[in-house]
Amino acid sequence: GESVGLHLPTLSVQEGDNSIINCAYSNSASDYFIWYKQESGKGPQFIIDIRSNMDKRQGQRVTVLLNKTVKHLSLQIAATQPGDSAVYFCAENNNFNKFYFGSGTKLNVKP
Amino acid sequence: NAGVTQTPKFQVLKTGQSMTLQCAQDMNHNSMYWYRQDPGMGLRLIYYSASEGTTDKGEVPNGYNVSRLNKREFSLRLESAAPSQTSVYFCASSTANTEAFFGQGTRLTVV
């Protein structure tokens, strides 16, 4: 099966600081990656995605970096806000269009 | 736009009872998914449907059956519920190689 894992289960940051959430994947055939945010009691919400032909993609306050050599993905959140507190998941997708998820990182933003 | 709608939102079953979780999407997506999420864990793929009339097993299909009734609807059936199936179930949909959109989840408890 697929294996997508996260290095840190919990991350605490001060409001206004930058956050970095990491993710390792094992399937070198994966060509599409997504970061999701999940708030308590809700379904995952799309944040940003990146395809394997890119190594960086930026959104509003978020940046995703992809290192295919070491099969590593990261999500950077700039100027972290209390509303960013949630669990963040990375997901990988291969040619068969199945999404496989990591176990998640809980982000705590301290005021 | 309703997006992905799951019913019911909550359910309590006795061991051995059966039930069907319903999912419908109004985004004209070809692909649909069923995931389960256990406490402190990521989402694990139960079944996947690439298009109407096709289904495929995911990581944890044992104890479940699915039906892709039409393009909009994808149901998940538990024939004989077990306590190990206590979980939050998420349905999702996507077009080919784009992000998956998730419903709000069904919280199932088997006693």
Side-chain angles (χ1 to χ4, degrees):
Chain A
E2 306 291 339
S3 175
V4 177
L6 293 171
H7 294 308
L8 296 172
T10 304
L11 176 66
S12 293
V13 300
Q14 205 69 37
E15 181 179 357
D17 287 351
N18 297 333
S19 303
I20 300 176
I21 301 171
N22 296 303
C23 176
Y25 65 96
S26 60
N27 187 349
S28 57
S30 293
D31 57 5
Y32 180 49
F33 303 88
I34 302 176
W35 281 100
Y36 283 93
K37 173 185 180 182
Q38 186 177 29
E39 297 174 310
S40 182
K42 297 185 178 180
Q45 291 179 289
F46 170 86
I47 302 173
I48 191 167
D49 59 1
I50 189 167
R51 300 193 185 274
S52 58
N53 61 349
M54 303 173 69
D55 53 19
K56 180 179 180 179
R57 190 157 190 239
Q58 288 184 289
Q60 187 176 10
R61 284 201 305 120
V62 294
T63 300
V64 55
L65 300 178
L66 175 62
N67 186 330
K68 294 181 289 293
T69 302
V70 296
K71 288 183 279 189
H72 185 266
L73 195 68
S74 68
L75 175 70
Q76 300 177 3
I77 304 174
T80 313
Q81 302 169 1
D84 294 327
S85 293
V87 177
Y88 290 81
F89 295 97
C90 66
E92 64 177 303
N93 185 306
N94 56 29
N95 288 335
F96 298 102
N97 206 37
K98 295 181 185 179
F99 291 95
Y100 293 92
F101 284 76
S103 56
T105 292
K106 184 175 183 179
L107 177 64
N108 291 323
V109 181
K110 296 176 285 186
Chain B
N1 245 354
V4 179
T5 302
Q6 293 183 233
T7 55
K9 288 185 170 50
F10 301 93
Q11 183 72 49
V12 178
L13 289 178
K14 293 182 179 178
T15 298
Q17 285 185 317
S18 62
M19 80 160 294
T20 300
L21 281 63
Q22 307 288 351
C23 175
Q25 53 94 4
D26 62 3
M27 295 174 282
N28 203 35
H29 288 165
N30 285 321
S31 300
M32 296 188 74
Y33 313 80
W34 275 106
Y35 289 88
R36 60 176 289 174
Q37 185 175 31
D38 299 314
M41 296 182 68
L43 287 80
R44 290 185 290 171
L45 182 64
I46 305 172
Y47 268 96
Y48 161 68
S49 171
S51 62
E52 182 180 351
T54 67
T55 61
D56 193 13
K57 294 179 181 179
E59 302 167 273
V60 288
N62 292 342
Y64 305 95
N65 286 304
V66 290
S67 295
R68 184 72 183 268
L69 305 169
N70 48 54
K71 191 171 186 179
R72 290 187 65 249
E73 297 172 290
F74 189 36
S75 63
L76 179 72
R77 182 161 178 84
L78 288 69
E79 290 291 352
S80 180
S84 61
Q85 294 178 304
T86 294
S87 190
V88 181
Y89 291 85
F90 288 100
C91 177
S93 70
S94 74
T95 56
N97 257 354
T98 64
E99 73 269 26
F101 292 82
F102 285 81
Q104 290 302 294
T106 295
R107 188 174 296 273
L108 176 67
T109 302
V110 183
V111 297

